[in-house]
């Protein structure tokens, strides 16, 4: 069963606009969430994270929002730039104990000039 | 700067061959992981290790084994390669203290004929 789901396989956004990537999870025990970005032929790189004690975390153009009651998180990129074109994975884990990340299927973001 | 290297970027093997994928990290991290990435399935955990000579099964360990003789090196072994093991293999390491972010290598694209 897929505990972390990214229901949009792809997303296309105009340069300069906001990109919103969504992620849902089913395990209410998850308390730490991360977003990774992956370019072709490279490994994923860490982008931003949020713990369950927060509902928002910002880092420059990137903001992650967490809605625990809905078991939903989203990544906002503002403004979107061509270099943001990549596959984005959300991941979830427990802070305590075994640090196993559970990844979503990924969303391919394309920023159009 | 964090560095995770993988022995090969591309590999072509025949069904039944024994395949070794090597991963080395230079950050003195205790935790290391092997994932495979397949379209529409995201990253799935094969095996992980919290210390030298320790290993734990991930979500899809069948057909794989691992070896961790030194802290910096984590090897994935395909005992008898099969065509359904054609995939992108990603190694990661993680410092269990602090942000708990996993750092990935560039990946090995394996084709089993």
């Amino acid at each position: 069963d897929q505990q972390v789901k990214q229901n949009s396989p792809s997303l296309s956004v105009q340069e300069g606009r906001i990109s919103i990537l969504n992620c849902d999870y089913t395990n209410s025990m998850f308390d730490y969430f991360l977003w990774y970005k992956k370019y072709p032929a490279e490994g994923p790189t860490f982008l931003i994270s949020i713990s369950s004690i927060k509902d928002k975390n910002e880092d420059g153009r990137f903001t992650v929002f967490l809605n625990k009651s809905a078991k939903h998180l989203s990544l906002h990129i503002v403004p979107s730039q061509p270099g943001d074109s990549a596959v984005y994975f959300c991941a979830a884990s427990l802070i305590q104990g075994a640090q196993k990340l559970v990844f979503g299927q990924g969303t391919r973001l394309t920023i159009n000039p | 700067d964090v560095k995770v290297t993988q022995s090969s970027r591309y590999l072509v093997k025949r069904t039944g061959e024994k395949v070794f994928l090597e991963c080395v990290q230079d950050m003195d991290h205790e935790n290391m992981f092997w994932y495979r990435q397949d379209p529409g399935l995201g990253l799935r955990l094969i095996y992980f290790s919290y210390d030298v000579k320790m290993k734990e099964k991930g979500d899809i360990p069948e057909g794989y084994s691992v070896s961790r003789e030194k802290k910096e090196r984590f090897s994935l072994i395909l005992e008898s390669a099969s065509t359904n093991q054609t995939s992108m293999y990603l190694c990661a390491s993680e410092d269990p203290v602090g942000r708990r972010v996993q750092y990935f290598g560039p990946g090995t694209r394996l084709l089993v004929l």
Side-chain angles (χ1 to χ4, degrees):
Chain A
D1 64 331
Q2 193 81 25
Q3 294 188 70
V4 178
K5 293 183 183 178
Q6 294 175 256
N7 291 315
S8 298
S10 63
L11 177 67
S12 189
V13 173
Q14 199 80 17
E15 182 179 357
R17 308 279 260 223
I18 184 170
S19 295
I20 300 176
L21 296 97
N22 293 303
C23 180
D24 297 296
Y25 61 97
T26 58
N27 188 343
S28 57
M29 298 297 291
F30 288 142
D31 55 8
Y32 193 61
F33 304 89
L34 307 91
W35 284 94
Y36 281 82
K37 175 180 178 179
K38 186 180 185 300
Y39 293 119
E42 293 184 15
T45 55
F46 169 73
L47 200 53
I48 192 169
S49 63
I50 188 167
S51 77
S52 59
I53 61 173
K54 294 186 172 183
D55 55 19
K56 177 182 172 181
N57 189 27
E58 275 183 90
D59 185 0
R61 296 185 299 115
F62 302 92
T63 303
V64 56
F65 294 92
L66 175 62
N67 182 334
K68 284 199 305 182
S69 60
K71 296 194 186 71
H72 177 83
L73 65 155
S74 60
L75 175 68
H76 293 211
I77 306 173
V78 183
S80 300
Q81 299 175 354
D84 297 329
S85 295
V87 177
Y88 289 79
F89 292 98
C90 68
S93 76
L94 305 173
I95 289 182
Q96 299 301 326
Q99 174 64 342
K100 284 174 56 175
L101 288 181
V102 180
F103 284 85
Q105 305 97 311
T107 296
R108 180 177 301 280
L109 175 65
T110 302
I111 306 301
N112 302 306
Chain B
D1 213 11
V2 167
K3 191 146 188 179
V4 179
T5 56
Q6 295 183 229
S7 51
S8 305
R9 296 300 300 270
Y10 302 95
L11 271 181
V12 180
K13 296 291 180 181
R14 298 216 173 267
T15 302
E17 278 192 77
K18 192 168 186 175
V19 182
F20 293 86
L21 303 181
E22 304 283 336
C23 175
V24 177
Q25 51 99 359
D26 65 357
M27 297 157 286
D28 203 35
H29 286 168
E30 292 177 359
N31 301 344
M32 295 188 75
F33 306 81
W34 275 106
Y35 295 88
R36 60 179 283 177
Q37 181 198 353
D38 299 290
L41 296 176
L43 277 70
R44 293 180 292 165
L45 182 63
I46 305 171
Y47 266 96
F48 58 105
S49 168
Y50 290 133
D51 204 347
V52 175
K53 299 209 185 280
M54 287 185 60
K55 59 185 179 184
E56 298 276 348
K57 291 181 180 179
D59 300 318
I60 51 164
E62 296 79 19
Y64 303 94
S65 62
V66 290
S67 171
R68 190 149 181 219
E69 296 295 321
K70 293 185 177 182
K71 191 175 185 180
E72 68 270 17
R73 189 179 296 270
F74 192 33
S75 303
L76 180 69
I77 303 153
L78 285 67
E79 298 290 343
S80 177
S82 63
T83 53
N84 63 14
Q85 293 178 309
T86 290
S87 187
M88 167 70 89
Y89 289 88
L90 292 158
C91 173
S93 76
E94 177 204 73
D95 184 352
V97 179
R99 285 199 308 178
R100 309 206 68 176
V101 170
Q102 291 187 15
Y103 297 90
F104 285 83
T108 296
R109 186 163 292 283
L110 173 67
L111 173 62
V112 182
L113 300 172

